[in-house]
Every structure is written in C-alpha cells, then in structure tokens.
Amino acid sequence: MTLDPDRIAYRPYWWNIDEPLRQDNHDPLPKASDVVIVGGGYTGMAAALVFARAGKSVIIIEKATPGYGASTRNGGINSASIRPSHGELEQSWGRQFADDLYQEASAARIDLAEFCEAEGIDAMFKLSGWFKGAMSAKHYNYLAKEADLLQSRLGIPCHMISQADQHSEIVSDRFYGGMVEDDVGGFHASKFFAGFLRLITEAGVKVYEKTAVDDIQDHATSGKLVVTDKGSIHADIVVVATNGYTGGSEHRFSRFLRQRTVPIRSSIIVTENLGKARVKALMPALRMYGNTAKLTTYFRPTPDGQRILLGARGAEHNPTLKTVHFLRNRLISILPQLADVQIDYCWTGYVAFNRQLIPRIFSHNGVHYSAAYAGSGTVWARWCGKKLAEQVLGQTNAPSILTADAPPSLPFYNGHPWFLPMVYSWYGLQDRLNEWRHG
C-alpha cells in the first residue's frame, strides 16, 4: 500500500492533549536562588520537586520549552531497562552490584506507579507487563536463564512465553518466544509531563524557558554563578539535567558532560486509528513490546488502545518520508497484517548513553549531574532526579546504586558522535548473523 504523505504529522502524537505543557511565567530572571536546575525534563522536574518541598527556592532553566526533548518524545514504555545483562554486570562489577542494580530498577518502576497515584497524575498509566521477543532460539534460551535468575533470586516477577504460545501475546511469527516482565507498564508521555509540571508549579518552582546557559562558574563568595543569555544567577546548588540534549561546543558549561554522554536519535511512528478491536486482535495481551536485537525495536498500543506506536534508533535529525518508510517496514516485518495501514505521526528525539551503559548520578567541581539513561528515561530520569536531590539534602541513608564517580570520557570525542554509522553497521551485521546461525 502506498503511503499518503499529506496525512503524516511530523510531531509527537503525545502533544495532542488539553493540559498545558508550559508554565505561565513572565517574571524576570532572579539574581539568586537556592537551587538552579539546567534542563526542564523529567530529571529536572523530579529534582526540583524534592528541593522545593524541602523549603528551597528553585528555578529551572530550559533552552527550549519544558519537556520539548525526550520527556514528550519518548515511547511511553516504563521499563527501566538495563542494557548489560545481569551476567555481564556480575562479570564487570560483581554479583552484589548486579543484584542491587536490577532490584533498584524494579523499585523505580514500582515507585513511578505509586507516584502517579499518590500525586493524582492522570497519565493513563497501566501496569501492562513487557514482552521481549527473542530474535533466535539462542536468545530464547538466554532469556530463559535470565528470567529464572530474576524470579528466583531477586524476586522480580517475570515468566517465559514459548514460540508455540506467543500468539497469546502478539500475533506475529517474527519471534522465537520471549520473556514477560510483569512489573513494567506504560503511560501517556505528555499527560505525565503535564501532571508533573502542575506539581512543581504548585510547589513554587519557576521555569524560565528559551533561556540558554553559557557557563557555570565559581561565585566570588560561595556556591556557583550560572551565566545565561538573560543574566546571571547565584545559586548554592546547581544540577545539570540535560541528558541527550546537552549543548554543543558553544556552551562552556556542557563540555564535561558532553565528553561522557553520546546522544543517539530515536525515531517513532504512530499508525492511523485502527480501532480497539483490531489492535487487540494483533496484540491480545496489550503489553509493551520489544526484542533482543542489537538494533532493538520497541512498540506498543497507544494508551487509548486505538493505534500502534513503534520506535527504533534513527539516523536523521529531522524525520522525513524516508524515516516513515523505514519504521513502517519494521512494523510490517513484525505484523505483516498491517501492510494496508497509513501512518499519522512521525518524530525523532534523543536518548543518551555512556561507556558503561548504566545511568549515573555524580558530581564534578561542585555541580551535580544525572544522565545517560540508555533509552529508558521514562523511569530512570524521574528516579535519578529524585534520588540526586534527596542525596544532596541528606534525606536518605541509602544512596542509589547509580551514584558513582563521573563516567569515563570517550577518546577522540567531544560531543559529535562521528562513529555511530559504524556502530549501527556492526550491530546490524550481528543481528543478521544471529538469525542466520541460531534461528
């Protein structure tokens, strides 16, 4: 079926809501604040809420508009996925670290659901579970071992689905069975953001949008001086929460983080309205979905159950019809029944990785950072922002396992990921070889 290019909106599907995504703030930038947070996404808002409820004056500085980045451009899948397997983590960091990290991921998922309920955020959250499809028989056996470890040793609820039974999860023959993690859910990304923005506004946090930070300097007396294109602010505490949207070389303050995080584009499509019956016929379990490929694909029903969303790593800065064709072909390879379907939305956003492939909370030169959620920021961004602020305030006796020294910088890298085309080619080759040798 030929795509109709005139019906495609190149913007996030999530933006179609009535709730405000911007704060009505026309105040001039203050000269001082107890806390200044750079970045107006989930991480920045989570830290701001903790600081404000502890009695601190808090402002958020955002170069674009609040949530313009990954916070309203994600797929709404709340997985808190950890890129290295438990076995890989145990080999590199030890068994205790691996256990603690996987248990913290589970705790972060549960905390997100409890946060939405306790704070009255109507994000259309649903604890649906997450089906991870095995891309070969070898991958299925690997997942089975992982599921047994997570369930028996760590108490994380999960179970295996055989290839013979997978049509009860998704009516696709693309996978060799898979694993279901039962404590994973999904939400409406912008409705969650809007609810979060309401909370920080009620707590007294001020958001200054379309304001660029140029530098963060030591103040002459104490704390830091945050230099922006609209004036300078004296702050006792400074948090940088820019993640995949960390500025380029024109901003001196961002150089340290930029050398340690790699922004990677992710592109998403949403189908035309299929109706609830057709979506459920294709995805009987109505879960969140992914696979074990190196170049992974993630997909899900939209929260209203009327459409299907699919995303994958993308190469284009601005989405085009080429992006739509690429992602639609991915969708049809999984669900060939959708070969007759039009696409209504397509957009891109940035996630961020570090060399360790683990989210990190750290400090450097008196500035606090949280970054590199490896494509799972819907859970990790809020959790890490919250934990960072609690640790700065001394509110917790149990620091996050993610708190550590700054991740190492990447050699020959200063923010422009020139090496990604080679990485994508290598990963694609590994995926093809896996299916050829072990399918």
Side-chain angles (χ1 to χ4, degrees):
M1 179 178 179
T2 303
L3 283 174
D4 178 3
D6 294 330
R7 69 180 294 154
I8 302 169
Y10 290 100
R11 58 180 175 82
Y13 163 80
W14 305 123
W15 290 358
N16 298 332
I17 63 171
D18 294 328
E19 296 97 319
L21 294 173
R22 300 169 71 177
Q23 191 182 79
D24 186 19
N25 175 23
H26 303 287
D27 294 343
L29 199 67
K31 297 295 184 182
S33 179
D34 294 335
V35 182
V36 171
I37 296 171
V38 185
Y42 295 159
T43 303
M45 291 198 300
L49 188 62
V50 173
F51 284 125
R53 287 181 172 175
K56 302 288 186 183
S57 58
V58 184
I59 69 168
I60 293 175
I61 299 176
E62 169 57 51
K63 184 178 180 180
T65 56
Y68 180 81
S71 293
T72 60
R73 294 174 179 271
N74 61 75
I77 298 175
N78 309 137
S79 68
S81 179
I82 301 164
R83 294 294 162 178
S85 69
H86 188 281
E88 290 169 335
L89 286 171
E90 186 172 344
Q91 186 175 13
S92 299
W93 301 87
R95 176 172 172 173
Q96 189 62 56
F97 179 87
D99 287 355
D100 290 348
L101 180 51
Y102 268 78
Q103 287 178 322
E104 184 161 329
S106 183
R109 290 190 287 267
I110 294 169
D111 189 71
L112 174 64
E114 292 176 344
F115 175 74
C116 289
E117 183 175 1
E119 300 289 354
I121 296 178
D122 179 17
M124 303 178 75
F125 176 86
K126 180 184 176 184
L127 192 65
S128 58
W130 179 39
F131 175 83
K132 183 187 289 187
M135 297 302 292
S136 67
K138 180 182 178 181
H139 282 193
Y140 180 86
N141 293 333
Y142 162 78
L143 286 175
K145 292 178 181 177
E146 190 87 351
D148 180 64
L149 182 151
L150 296 179
Q151 178 76 33
S152 61
R153 195 162 93 203
L154 302 180
I156 297 174
C158 55
H159 61 279
M160 296 301 295
I161 302 293
S162 69
Q163 188 174 17
D165 294 332
Q166 76 181 11
H167 280 202
S168 65
E169 297 288 328
I170 181 168
V171 184
S172 172
D173 296 321
R174 187 72 179 88
F175 308 116
Y176 294 75
M179 178 176 75
V180 172
E181 289 191 48
D182 298 292
D183 63 349
V184 171
F187 64 18
H188 189 296
S190 287
K191 288 179 75 67
F192 177 71
F193 184 88
F196 216 154
L197 183 63
R198 170 182 58 80
L199 290 180
I200 67 167
T201 301
E202 291 171 352
V205 177
K206 293 287 188 178
V207 180
Y208 291 86
E209 63 179 54
K210 298 183 179 179
T211 303
V213 174
D214 295 320
D215 202 4
I216 300 174
Q217 305 169 354
D218 290 331
H219 191 268
T221 57
S222 64
K224 295 291 181 179
L225 188 69
V226 181
V227 181
T228 82
D229 59 355
K230 294 182 180 177
S232 298
I233 314 145
H234 179 204
D236 297 323
I237 299 169
V238 176
V239 175
V240 173
T242 50
N243 198 40
Y245 290 79
T246 300
S249 57
E250 70 274 16
H251 301 297
R252 290 187 296 275
F253 89 94
S254 63
R255 185 178 299 119
F256 178 79
L257 183 58
R258 197 170 62 247
Q259 292 173 334
R260 287 159 174 79
T261 53
V262 179
I264 294 179
R265 295 187 193 106
S266 193
S267 300
I268 294 177
I269 55 170
V270 174
T271 67
E272 63 179 301
N273 192 322
L274 306 174
K276 289 184 178 181
R278 188 175 184 187
V279 172
K280 187 167 176 58
L282 294 169
M283 299 174 160
L286 296 176
R287 299 194 190 276
M288 306 294 107
Y289 297 86
N291 62 30
T292 60
K294 288 283 189 180
L295 293 177
T296 188
T297 302
Y298 52 93
F299 46 106
R300 59 166 294 181
T302 52
D304 62 5
Q306 304 273 10
R307 304 168 186 260
I308 292 176
L309 174 152
L310 177 140
R313 301 295 169 244
E316 296 178 294
H317 177 67
N318 294 311
T320 64
L321 193 59
K322 179 180 177 181
T323 313
V324 177
H325 277 293
F326 170 74
L327 294 174
R328 183 171 176 267
N329 288 338
R330 284 278 185 104
L331 177 63
I332 294 170
S333 73
I334 298 166
L335 293 168
Q337 307 95 313
L338 296 177
D340 64 336
V341 166
Q342 294 287 345
I343 303 302
D344 280 354
Y345 296 90
C346 179
W347 69 93
T348 61
Y350 285 90
V351 298
F353 290 72
N354 59 35
R355 288 177 64 182
Q356 299 168 340
L357 303 181
I358 299 170
R360 284 301 188 191
I361 302 167
F362 56 95
S363 299
H364 173 74
N365 193 27
V367 177
H368 307 283
Y369 296 84
S370 177
Y373 309 124
S376 295
T378 59
V379 175
W380 283 130
R382 176 197 159 263
W383 175 264
C384 290
K386 169 179 174 283
K387 299 300 284 187
L388 182 156
E390 290 173 347
Q391 290 167 192
V392 170
L393 293 171
Q395 292 183 350
T396 177
N397 293 321
S400 168
I401 192 67
L402 303 173
T403 304
D405 294 335
S409 60
L410 281 77
F412 311 110
Y413 172 70
N414 193 31
H416 174 63
W418 52 268
F419 45 80
L420 283 183
M422 292 180 284
V423 173
Y424 288 154
S425 296
W426 171 235
Y427 280 179
L429 176 61
Q430 289 184 75
D431 286 338
R432 291 190 294 273
L433 287 174
N434 167 64
E435 292 194 66
W436 176 64
R437 295 171 60 189
H438 305 293

